[in-house]
Amino acid sequence: MSMSRLEEKAKKAKDKAAALGTDIDIESYEAESEEMGEIEALEMLPEDIQTAALSAGVSLTGESAGDYFQVDQSAVHRGSSVEGIEVMDIGTALREHSYLKDYYWKLVPIDTDKYTADVGMHPPAGYFIRAKPGTVSTFPLKACLFMGGKNKRQRVHNVVIAEEGSRLHIITGCTTPSHAGRGLHLGVSEVYIKKNAHVTFTMVHNWGDEVEVRPRGASRVEAGGSISENYITLTPVKSLQAFPTATLAGEGAVASFNTIMYARSGKIDIGNQTILEAPRTSAESIARVVSTGGEIINRGRMVGKVPDVRAHVECVGLILTEKGRIYSIPELDGWCGGLDMSHEAAVGKISQVELEYLMARGLSTDEATSVIVRGFLDVEIKGLPPALKEEIQKITKLEEIHGGS
């Protein structure tokens, strides 16, 4: 489809409400942002931006396979340190790679809702990452999407392509400075995993309590390939709604979703869907959510379309105050016989026995609660490289995790 046809479809959907989540008045947020120039090294970023990036799990030092840094709508730095991996801003990629039109807006329709339409009606921003056939990255590729302007809307469209036999580890931190006011982040991510390719895609959100977030994502996995999507948010947000879809299109493809969420306030509607279209495919969705006042809706949906597939959905939640709410919605949609699909969900409180055990060893009530919550959120995510595993452990063991509840 030509760019003009895409723009036409986007304009027709500019007022189309989303199927899920609270509605947002997009026009109440400013569309334009000040243009920023490129920098030679990430260490040249202002200190407050570096601090915000670190809080979202993106360390600007240490070894990596490459990096991409965007401030509002400007790509200020990008590059790859591994031969065979391309890292570009999406606008440049569209100009230089004619084949990209076969991937751009193919997994996420531009007219899905008014949020995707708004992304589509403005100049493209976001990253393009491609691993060439057989390329393997040991260290994670780090990307940071920083929203610094007040009352702005940030629009991002990311495309990731893992060619046959390649292996990619990506950690994306989405963040604002600590003093940020209201803002709107709109994101589209399309991930293509070719035959026998493997992608770990970890997203860490570190927003403010006046920020609204509407990510839209989809992935397609071919035979023998796998995707592991890990979603972490531990800081307040005004509202968040996301429901990415993975399509397992080739025999033996695998999808894994891991969600770690701590909500002190705000309205959060999050989940994921996997469509198992080929035999011997498998998928799991594991969520650990904690509310100390926020409202969390967690959705996990598995669609089995052919025999000989396996799928499991699991959501376990803790409510630590009288005001919190957790609503768990596991769904299994089987289209034929020969399926192995299951789900489990639980919402409860901290065990009094565990609490008293820790307090008997000298911890205060708050300290004991914090220890239990950190352990609860410490989900074992398989297949991560050591460097990325360390980053995630740092995020989920922040001392502030229980503070302010």
Side-chain angles (χ1 to χ4, degrees):
M1 186 178 294
S2 66
M3 295 300 283
S4 58
R5 288 286 305 280
L6 283 171
E7 289 171 9
E8 259 180 59
K9 290 187 72 174
K11 287 177 182 177
K12 289 179 181 177
K14 68 182 183 66
D15 297 316
K16 183 179 178 181
L20 304 170
T22 56
D23 193 56
I24 297 173
D25 178 9
I26 293 180
E27 297 305 320
S28 69
Y29 296 90
E30 295 177 29
E32 302 305 320
S33 297
E34 183 180 346
E35 191 77 19
M36 285 192 64
E38 293 187 37
I39 56 175
E40 292 182 7
L42 291 174
E43 291 79 4
M44 296 172 64
L45 287 165
E47 189 174 336
D48 64 328
I49 296 182
Q50 293 193 41
T51 301
L54 189 60
S55 70
V58 180
S59 170
L60 305 188
T61 59
E63 295 186 82
S64 71
D67 52 69
Y68 175 88
F69 208 105
Q70 180 172 318
V71 176
D72 294 326
Q73 294 304 115
S74 302
V76 299
H77 189 79
R78 64 277 202 193
S80 169
S81 55
V82 174
E83 187 176 351
I85 294 180
E86 288 183 87
V87 182
M88 308 171 72
D89 65 274
I90 191 68
T92 300
L94 285 166
R95 289 191 297 272
E96 294 188 3
H97 296 318
S98 59
Y99 68 81
L100 191 50
K101 67 180 185 299
D102 296 327
Y103 298 88
Y104 194 62
W105 290 114
K106 298 299 184 182
L107 293 182
V108 178
I110 199 170
D111 58 355
T112 298
D113 53 38
K114 62 184 182 181
Y115 310 119
T116 57
D118 193 65
V119 173
M121 288 188 295
H122 288 86
Y127 56 72
F128 169 71
I129 297 171
R130 175 177 175 251
K132 295 180 181 179
T135 303
V136 175
S137 67
T138 303
F139 294 97
L141 195 153
K142 299 177 181 180
C144 185
L145 305 172
F146 177 84
M147 187 166 62
K150 293 185 178 180
N151 203 45
K152 301 289 186 180
R153 63 183 188 257
Q154 183 182 53
R155 301 168 303 277
V156 177
H157 191 157
N158 306 316
V159 176
V160 176
I161 303 173
E163 300 286 5
E164 184 171 343
S166 64
R167 188 178 293 268
L168 267 176
H169 301 287
I170 301 168
I171 180 166
T172 297
C174 300
T175 186
T176 56
S178 57
H179 58 269
R182 74 191 298 263
L184 172 62
H185 172 86
L186 305 175
V188 175
S189 294
E190 299 179 291
V191 182
Y192 296 85
I193 298 104
K194 302 297 182 68
K195 185 178 180 181
N196 296 324
H198 305 279
V199 172
T200 300
F201 194 29
T202 299
M203 292 147 284
V204 182
H205 279 198
N206 185 54
W207 301 114
D209 54 13
E210 288 299 314
V211 177
E212 305 198 78
V213 187
R214 294 296 182 273
R216 301 290 181 256
S219 57
R220 180 178 176 84
V221 189
E222 296 183 10
S226 71
I227 185 167
S228 177
E229 289 202 25
N230 311 305
Y231 190 95
I232 301 170
T233 179
L234 304 176
T235 56
V237 65
K238 183 177 180 181
S239 76
L240 163 66
Q241 189 273 312
F243 193 64
T245 293
T247 300
L248 304 183
E251 186 171 341
V254 176
S256 173
F257 287 93
N258 296 280
T259 302
I260 300 170
M261 182 157 296
Y262 188 94
R264 298 183 181 93
S265 60
K267 293 186 176 182
I268 296 169
D269 189 325
I270 194 165
N272 47 74
Q273 172 179 247
T274 303
I275 302 172
L276 298 93
E277 302 190 327
R280 286 176 284 287
T281 52
S282 61
E284 69 173 6
S285 173
I286 308 295
R288 294 288 183 272
V289 299
V290 176
S291 172
T292 60
E295 177 182 305
I296 302 174
I297 299 174
N298 186 80
R299 306 172 190 271
R301 187 166 191 261
M302 298 290 177
V303 182
K305 290 196 169 183
V306 297
D308 196 16
V309 301
R310 297 170 62 89
H312 179 67
V313 178
E314 179 181 323
C315 175
V316 182
L318 287 178
I319 301 178
L320 304 185
T321 64
E322 296 299 319
K323 297 179 181 177
R325 183 193 181 203
I326 296 175
Y327 181 22
S328 180
I329 308 173
E331 290 184 77
L332 304 178
D333 185 1
W335 289 40
C336 59
L339 304 172
D340 183 358
M341 304 171 71
S342 61
H343 71 73
E344 58 182 290
V347 177
K349 61 181 182 179
I350 287 178
S351 163
Q352 191 64 29
V353 173
E354 290 183 26
L355 203 59
E356 291 173 356
Y357 175 85
L358 292 172
M359 291 172 64
R361 276 148 182 77
L363 297 183
S364 67
T365 303
D366 281 354
E367 289 170 337
T369 300
S370 183
V371 168
I372 293 169
V373 170
R374 286 200 301 268
F376 174 77
L377 294 175
D378 188 15
V379 177
E380 176 62 28
I381 300 172
K382 300 173 184 176
L384 296 181
L388 184 52
K389 190 174 290 189
E390 286 177 19
E391 294 280 2
I392 292 176
Q393 287 174 346
K394 289 176 188 175
I395 296 163
T396 55
K397 291 180 180 177
L398 292 174
E399 291 181 4
E400 296 84 358
I401 194 169
H402 187 58
S405 64

